[in-house]
Amino acid sequence: MFKVVANIRTRYQWALIAIAVLISISASLMQYFLSVQKYDAKIINIAGKQRMLSQKIAWHSNELLISSVDASNHIKALKASLLLFKNSHEYLLSKNDDGEYQYLTPKLVKLYTSTPNKLDSQVKVFIQEAESLLYQQGQVDRQIFSVTQVEVLLKQLDYAVSLFETEAITKMNWVSNLELLFWLAAMLLLLVELRFVFMPMEKEILNALTDSQKQKEFAYQVSKNKEHFIARASHEFRTPLQGLISSIETLYIKDEQKKIKMQAAFCASRIIAMLDELQDLQALSLGHWSLQLTNTNLLRSLERILTTYEYAYEQKGIRLITSFDSTLNCTTELDHKRLQQMLAELLSNALKFTVQGEVHIDAKVDYEQLIVTVKDTGCGFLSQVDSPVFNSQEQSNHFQGLRTGLARVQYIVKAFHGKILFENNEHGGALVTLKIPITINEPDKSKKTILPSTLHCLVVEDNPLNMLVLTRVLTSLGYSCVSAENGKVACEMVTRERYDVIFMDLNMPVMDGFEASKKIRTFDQSTPIIVVTANTSDSDIAYAGECGINAHVFKPIDKQMVIDVLAKVYSRK
């Protein structure tokens, strides 16, 4: 038995060595094939450009001969085309150290040097007459640039290109046939190996590997489908939400209807929060997550999230009591969006598990540490929570709400290098204490950014509703703006008119924001480009930065968000 195994192993090893050798040779041939193809493509491209350049030279020359007006543009274009035409011709006819043509086959040598064609002589005469005209060196033979003579030259250049292409095809066929031969040898050796090595092996191993691979592929496809669905759903939801939130903010209603407006604003903010949570969970599962530090007033950051929950607490009849210390009124460097998400999750869970009574939220800064406590009169925890590990499969306690939500909170706290404690109140209910280290930055009033009083803005957006919202916000700031429905139109407009700032959507038909930004940056390096998008993918935002954008803001937007992003851009300037 051992001898059989050893024999199979030996044959298997030799078969692998043979296949490795054949594969290496085949790979080398492929590399050679690619290099030959690249080399031939370059030569064919140069030869093909000769036709175009000869036409341009003839046209500009004729214009100089017949035109009496300012011909500076024709002279400049003729000079550039003639130089490139001459250099390309010399390159094609270059020789090696042995005096042999490097790029010409015998047929091409005959075409360029022998009668009746003598293409080399024709080209040199063509170049000489064009140079005489360009530099005014004697009498110019107008017949050289006539349609008849140019057509003859073009015909010869076309024939030269066809010969270059024929030679390239011949090389490709030779390499392809040789590669096919090695491929057939590899296939034959593989069939022998399959027959005498693999087939005797246990079929159960193959079945197990097949099942495992199918499960892996299925899990991968499910993960990709989930990722694509979440990204697309988030994008599609944020676009109509942009119009909804903007419409709610601009409503002027009676006092008795303010609760309806508050209810609509709360519902819209909750939808945005759920979209953020879905994307956060996906990012956490894939490891695509990092803190985004910004300098913002800590008190305003906390108050902003409280405003969205006032209606929900009022509707349920639960009193929301806040106690914010004066130490919160400072500028701190941290991820304020993630801080707001954590506070929102704790407030949401407290509201969910409090049937009656009240919820207290206290916050203060103590020795550069933010301390937030959320205390409710709800059901509390079923048992003492010593080590809060949130697992949606194993967890049995309520932990005050959505398991995935608090798992998200714990992950953010860990990224902040903070702590979160879950306890029961002495008189019932739950007590959650959040401690996060912060960096306090005193604002430099001398460097306070003052936005320009006037700006001429270009809004690039394919969705009419989003375009209307953004232009309305900019108009309310006293800025003038024009719009473009896609990146291609925007590029054309930027070449014709000067704009102070460009607001660019990313996902658009015809030409998207990525391509448009890159194209604009080829001729305009100074105009700020601000991306306004519902695409929250970190990789796409990073790529947008590589394309030349200066800042970004996510939909749905409001007036303050536009002010903040403009302040960010102009503070850099």
Side-chain angles (χ1 to χ4, degrees):
M1 182 63 182
F2 288 105
K3 291 182 179 180
V4 173
V5 173
N7 186 31
I8 293 177
R9 183 185 295 114
T10 301
R11 286 185 292 169
Y12 178 67
Q13 290 174 347
W14 279 110
L16 286 181
I17 293 173
I19 290 178
V21 171
L22 287 172
I23 290 176
S24 299
I25 296 175
S26 180
S28 299
L29 285 173
M30 180 62 71
Q31 290 297 321
Y32 173 73
F33 168 73
L34 291 175
S35 64
V36 169
Q37 188 178 29
K38 182 179 178 181
Y39 166 83
D40 289 338
K42 178 182 176 181
I43 299 301
I44 293 172
N45 184 47
I46 293 174
K49 283 184 177 179
Q50 292 295 83
R51 296 178 299 184
M52 176 193 70
L53 291 171
S54 63
Q55 290 177 306
K56 292 180 67 175
I57 292 170
W59 181 73
H60 288 298
S61 298
N62 283 316
E63 288 295 319
L64 289 174
L65 290 171
I66 65 176
S67 177
S68 60
V69 297
D70 182 21
S72 58
N73 290 334
H74 289 293
I75 293 174
K76 183 178 179 181
L78 176 59
K79 185 176 182 180
S81 300
L82 184 59
L83 178 62
L84 183 57
F85 183 75
K86 184 177 180 180
N87 291 339
S88 299
H89 180 70
E90 292 175 352
Y91 182 82
L92 291 175
L93 271 68
S94 59
K95 298 181 180 181
N96 56 25
D97 295 336
D98 297 329
E100 298 177 348
Y101 290 103
Q102 297 186 73
Y103 309 116
L104 300 185
T105 63
K107 290 184 178 180
L108 284 166
V109 171
K110 183 178 180 181
L111 173 66
Y112 274 93
T113 62
S114 302
T115 55
N117 299 309
K118 288 189 177 182
L119 180 57
D120 181 28
S121 299
Q122 294 183 46
V123 171
K124 288 180 177 178
V125 171
F126 186 74
I127 293 174
Q128 182 180 357
E129 292 299 324
E131 288 179 339
S132 299
L133 175 62
L134 180 62
Y135 301 110
Q136 298 181 357
Q137 299 174 346
Q139 186 68 26
V140 178
D141 185 1
R142 294 171 176 261
Q143 189 65 24
I144 293 294
F145 304 111
S146 66
V147 175
T148 303
Q149 291 295 328
V150 172
E151 285 182 350
V152 172
L153 179 60
L154 285 175
K155 184 177 180 181
Q156 297 298 325
L157 291 174
D158 283 336
Y159 184 53
V161 172
S162 66
L163 291 178
F164 279 116
E165 291 175 342
T166 301
E167 177 65 15
I169 293 172
T170 302
K171 292 180 182 178
M172 291 171 59
N173 291 336
W174 183 84
V175 175
S176 297
N177 292 334
L178 190 58
E179 184 183 9
L180 178 61
L181 178 62
F182 278 97
W183 179 81
L184 291 174
M187 291 298 101
L188 179 61
L189 186 60
L190 182 59
L191 290 175
V192 173
E193 183 182 6
L194 288 173
R195 174 64 181 84
F196 297 102
V197 178
F198 287 105
M199 290 182 64
M201 292 183 179
E202 295 290 337
K203 293 183 179 180
E204 290 79 5
I205 297 177
L206 180 60
N207 293 335
L209 291 175
T210 303
D211 292 340
S212 176
Q213 182 65 23
K214 287 182 179 180
Q215 292 175 3
K216 182 180 178 180
E217 292 177 355
F218 178 75
Y220 175 78
Q221 190 61 44
V222 169
S223 177
K224 294 299 292 183
N225 289 342
K226 182 179 71 171
E227 181 181 358
H228 291 159
F229 173 76
I230 290 175
R232 176 52 59 185
S234 175
H235 183 274
E236 294 302 320
F237 273 110
R238 289 176 189 272
T239 297
L241 277 173
Q242 169 70 82
L244 176 61
I245 292 177
S246 177
S247 300
I248 293 173
E249 290 178 348
T250 55
L251 282 177
Y252 294 96
I253 58 178
K254 299 178 181 178
D255 293 341
E256 57 269 21
Q257 294 179 316
K258 285 186 176 180
K259 287 187 177 180
I260 299 176
K261 181 178 179 180
M262 187 183 299
Q263 179 184 14
F266 171 77
C267 293
S269 66
R270 288 303 300 153
I271 294 176
I272 295 175
M274 286 187 288
L275 291 175
D276 290 338
E277 182 174 349
L278 282 173
Q279 291 192 298
D280 280 347
L281 288 174
Q282 182 67 14
L284 290 175
S285 64
L286 298 175
H288 302 161
W289 189 88
S290 62
L291 293 176
Q292 302 295 326
L293 303 181
T294 58
N295 285 294
T296 306
N297 184 275
L298 183 58
L299 179 60
R300 288 200 297 268
S301 184
L302 296 177
E303 288 178 340
R304 185 172 183 178
I305 198 64
L306 286 178
T307 303
T308 61
Y309 279 89
E310 289 176 353
Y311 172 78
Y313 273 82
E314 182 180 346
Q315 285 293 103
K316 195 172 181 180
I318 306 298
R319 287 195 302 160
L320 179 60
I321 303 173
T322 61
S323 178
F324 285 171
D325 193 77
S326 59
T327 55
L328 297 173
N329 191 15
C330 60
T331 301
T332 58
E333 184 182 22
L334 52 80
D335 193 329
H336 288 265
K337 180 181 178 181
R338 298 298 182 183
L339 175 62
Q340 291 172 348
Q341 288 178 349
M342 289 191 295
L343 183 59
E345 189 63 42
L346 297 179
L347 287 174
S348 178
N349 289 337
L351 176 63
K352 181 177 181 180
F353 289 98
T354 302
V355 179
Q356 60 182 3
E358 57 195 25
V359 173
H360 291 259
I361 174 169
D362 302 310
K364 65 178 180 179
V365 174
D366 188 17
Y367 296 103
E368 292 198 344
Q369 185 179 52
L370 173 63
I371 303 175
V372 180
T373 59
V374 180
K375 181 171 59 175
D376 62 53
T377 57
C379 60
F381 299 104
L382 299 179
S383 61
Q384 181 65 29
V385 183
D386 297 322
S387 179
V389 178
F390 302 105
N391 188 307
S392 61
Q393 301 297 327
E394 300 176 0
Q395 179 182 325
S396 58
N397 290 334
H398 284 296
F399 292 109
Q400 277 194 298
L402 294 176
R403 298 171 183 178
T404 55
L406 288 182
R408 198 161 124 259
V409 168
Q410 189 186 28
Y411 191 89
I412 298 173
V413 170
K414 184 178 180 181
F416 274 123
H417 302 290
K419 295 181 180 179
I420 186 167
L421 303 175
F422 295 87
E423 305 172 287
N424 281 318
N425 282 328
E426 295 180 0
H427 306 291
L431 172 63
V432 181
T433 303
L434 178 64
K435 296 181 180 180
I436 297 176
I438 61 174
T439 300
I440 300 176
N441 295 327
E442 293 297 332
D444 188 352
K445 296 182 180 180
S446 64
K447 296 183 179 179
K448 183 177 180 181
T449 302
I450 300 177
L451 294 180
S453 58
T454 59
L455 285 176
H456 187 41
C457 311
L458 173 61
V459 178
V460 188
E461 172 65 68
D462 64 311
N463 186 286
L465 177 60
N466 291 335
M467 184 183 293
L468 175 63
V469 170
L470 184 52
T471 53
R472 186 165 56 190
V473 170
L474 293 172
T475 303
S476 69
L477 294 173
Y479 301 149
S480 63
C481 54
V482 294
S483 58
E485 62 270 22
N486 57 62
K488 182 179 180 181
V489 175
C491 291
E492 295 173 354
M493 295 176 66
V494 173
T495 58
R496 296 194 304 265
E497 186 176 356
R498 176 71 179 175
Y499 299 97
D500 298 313
V501 62
I502 301 172
F503 291 89
M504 180 78 69
D505 187 21
L506 289 182
N507 299 322
M508 295 179 291
V510 184
M511 180 185 291
D512 59 30
F514 300 105
E515 187 65 27
S517 298
K518 286 196 295 185
K519 189 171 183 180
I520 290 173
R521 285 297 180 236
T522 59
F523 58 85
D524 185 349
Q525 298 291 330
S526 60
T527 303
I529 300 178
I530 300 174
V531 163
V532 184
T533 180
N535 185 349
T536 58
S537 170
D538 290 339
S539 59
D540 286 344
I541 295 302
Y543 178 59
E546 296 175 3
C547 294
I549 69 141
N550 300 90
H552 67 274
V553 62
F554 294 129
K555 299 174 184 177
I557 63 170
D558 54 31
K559 185 175 181 179
Q560 188 58 48
M561 293 171 68
V562 174
I563 293 174
D564 291 342
V565 75
L566 286 173
K568 180 179 179 182
V569 169
Y570 280 93
S571 65
R572 293 174 179 173
K573 295 185 69 175

